[in-house]
Amino acid sequence: MIEKKAKMQVLIHLLAWIIFFGFPLLFMVESGEREYVRYWIYIVNTAIYIAVFYLNYNWLIQRYLFTKQINRFIWINVLMIALLSVMFFYLKEFEIHRFMPQQPPLQLKILFYFRDISFILLMVGLSVAVKMTGNWYRIEAIHKEAERAQYEAELKNLKSQLNPHFLFNTLNNIYSLVIVRPEKAQEAIHRLSNLLRYALYENNANFVPLDKELKFIESYIELMSLRLSRNVQLSTEIKGGNPVDQIAPMLFISVIENAFKHGVSPTEPSFIHIDIEAKTGQELVCTVENSYFPKTETDRSGSGIGHENLLKRLDLLYPGKYQLTAENRGATYFVELVIAF
């Protein structure tokens, strides 16, 4: 990619100078000696302008201007302009003596002289502008590459936190089943193996087909429901799931597992309502409402990183395209996550 850009840059410079050299030929109405000599003088002048441009572009700007040696940069260009002005003066004198029968007015000579100096100054300014612009784009590209690398590293780090967190919470649920309902524990372990296969392999991608993710959520809810007692009311409704749509994997797991963690009481009536609706090509809305039984300080199950992890992943993957609402409504807890495709 870099080599291709460099070749394109050389081609643009080459075409620009070809146009610059060839432009006067379009206005040559005669083919005599005078026209050709004047054209070759123009070629010499233009070659000097090119030399000034590339001397600054390839060396002086990088050597002095970018290293904050501005005074040296200015004085070198002043000296160069003074020397070239003498050369231009003698070239103009040659043209005048060769092709003009009488000397032009002094004012006209001064005008020619300052015209040539102005063109040299223009070449210096143009080289600075082009070099500074190219350098700005290069720095921006480096910054974007650094930001992309940081983004990938942070996202990878969040994913590496997610899998152990998911496994830890699920194993806690299976552990409780082993004590009270061992036959259900065996079924849970089998279901967990299928879920882990998805979590370990599909989670490597930034985005997965939406229908796969929704099936994973359904399987996870079924696994978590194995430990629920009869005094827990669980209702789920998952609609949509077009395989054309893509979604980041395991975004909703922390919301759902928190509902099972904080919404279930072993002694009191409890409920968990999960509603996920995917509108093809538009948005996905996940609503979770549950009875609220906050854990005590001594209960550290789940490590508590799920919500923070979710927010960081949403900021990285869906900046400005999501809305997360989480409200403690006294005896209930309500969470709504809306993601625009």
Side-chain angles (χ1 to χ4, degrees):
M1 181 63 71
I2 297 176
E3 184 179 352
K4 185 177 180 181
K5 288 183 178 180
K7 289 181 179 179
M8 182 61 68
Q9 190 177 43
V10 170
L11 182 61
I12 291 173
H13 281 237
L14 185 61
L15 289 175
W17 294 123
I18 289 175
I19 293 172
F20 207 79
F21 277 117
F23 189 71
L25 294 175
L26 300 177
F27 299 94
M28 290 180 61
V29 295
E30 300 178 5
S31 59
E33 178 189 3
R34 177 178 177 177
E35 289 297 323
Y36 281 111
V37 170
R38 293 181 64 183
Y39 175 70
W40 281 108
I41 292 176
Y42 170 83
I43 292 294
V44 173
N45 290 350
T46 303
I48 293 173
Y49 299 145
I50 292 175
V52 171
F53 177 90
Y54 285 111
L55 183 63
N56 278 275
Y57 184 83
N58 291 323
W59 183 54
L60 294 178
I61 296 173
Q62 190 73 34
R63 176 67 177 81
Y64 296 109
L65 202 57
F66 285 173
T67 57
K68 309 298 183 182
Q69 301 181 60
I70 300 176
N71 288 336
R72 287 193 177 185
F73 176 79
I74 293 174
W75 280 112
I76 290 174
N77 275 285
V78 167
L79 179 61
M80 180 170 58
I81 291 171
L83 294 174
L84 293 177
S85 298
V86 174
M87 184 182 299
F88 280 128
F89 174 79
Y90 283 109
L91 281 173
K92 184 56 62 180
E93 286 293 318
F94 169 77
E95 184 179 1
I96 290 172
H97 286 294
R98 179 106 182 224
F99 299 109
M100 292 186 181
Q102 57 183 12
Q103 289 287 328
L106 179 61
Q107 295 86 343
L108 187 59
K109 284 187 175 183
I110 294 174
L111 179 63
F112 287 149
Y113 184 73
F114 279 105
R115 180 201 64 184
D116 295 333
I117 294 178
S118 298
F119 269 113
I120 298 175
L121 289 172
L122 177 64
M123 289 299 108
V124 174
L126 184 62
S127 65
V128 172
V130 173
K131 189 72 172 181
M132 294 290 280
T133 303
N135 193 60
W136 181 82
Y137 277 112
R138 183 180 62 83
I139 292 174
E140 281 296 302
I142 293 174
H143 285 169
K144 287 181 179 179
E145 179 63 24
E147 289 175 0
R148 188 195 65 78
Q150 183 179 1
Y151 162 85
E152 293 291 343
E154 187 171 356
L155 194 58
K156 186 176 181 181
N157 180 55
L158 290 173
K159 286 181 180 180
S160 68
Q161 295 176 20
L162 181 62
N163 282 337
H165 180 255
F166 163 76
L167 179 60
F168 184 79
N169 283 335
T170 310
L171 286 176
N172 274 340
N173 289 320
I174 295 176
Y175 175 76
S176 64
L177 285 175
V178 169
I179 299 174
V180 296
R181 302 171 72 182
E183 72 285 354
K184 289 290 185 181
Q186 292 180 359
E187 182 183 349
I189 292 172
H190 177 70
R191 289 177 180 270
L192 176 60
S193 65
N194 293 328
L195 292 177
L196 284 178
R197 188 176 295 109
Y198 179 90
L200 292 174
Y201 294 107
E202 297 293 341
N203 196 37
N204 288 329
N206 288 339
F207 297 94
V208 297
L210 179 58
D211 60 336
K212 282 189 176 182
E213 180 67 15
L214 294 183
K215 288 178 182 177
F216 170 75
I217 292 173
E218 289 178 335
S219 299
Y220 179 76
I221 294 173
E222 291 175 0
L223 172 61
M224 298 296 285
S225 65
L226 291 177
R227 63 167 291 191
L228 298 181
S229 61
R230 292 181 179 180
N231 68 338
V232 180
Q233 178 191 4
L234 172 65
S235 64
T236 63
E237 186 174 6
I238 299 177
K239 296 182 293 186
N242 194 320
V244 175
D245 292 326
Q246 300 279 309
I247 191 75
M250 301 183 68
L251 275 180
F252 307 102
I253 291 301
S254 62
V255 175
I256 295 172
E257 70 183 6
N258 279 339
F260 282 95
K261 177 182 175 184
H262 300 290
V264 177
S265 169
T267 58
E268 299 181 36
S270 314
F271 74 90
I272 299 173
H273 298 158
I274 301 171
D275 185 3
I276 300 177
E277 181 179 4
K279 300 177 182 178
T280 303
Q282 298 180 35
E283 62 182 17
L284 187 147
V285 182
C286 174
T287 304
V288 179
E289 189 171 9
N290 56 271
S291 49
Y292 187 52
F293 303 98
K295 300 297 181 181
T296 63
E297 286 295 322
T298 57
D299 185 359
R300 302 298 297 169
S301 62
S303 72
I305 67 168
H307 185 72
E308 182 181 354
N309 188 300
L310 173 62
L311 282 174
K312 288 181 178 180
R313 291 187 71 204
L314 288 170
D315 286 336
L316 288 171
L317 295 168
Y318 297 98
K321 294 183 178 181
Y322 77 92
Q323 183 176 354
L324 178 62
T325 304
E327 296 176 346
N328 182 356
R329 298 177 176 179
T332 65
Y333 199 82
F334 175 84
V335 178
E336 183 180 66
L337 174 58
V338 182
I339 297 176
F341 292 125

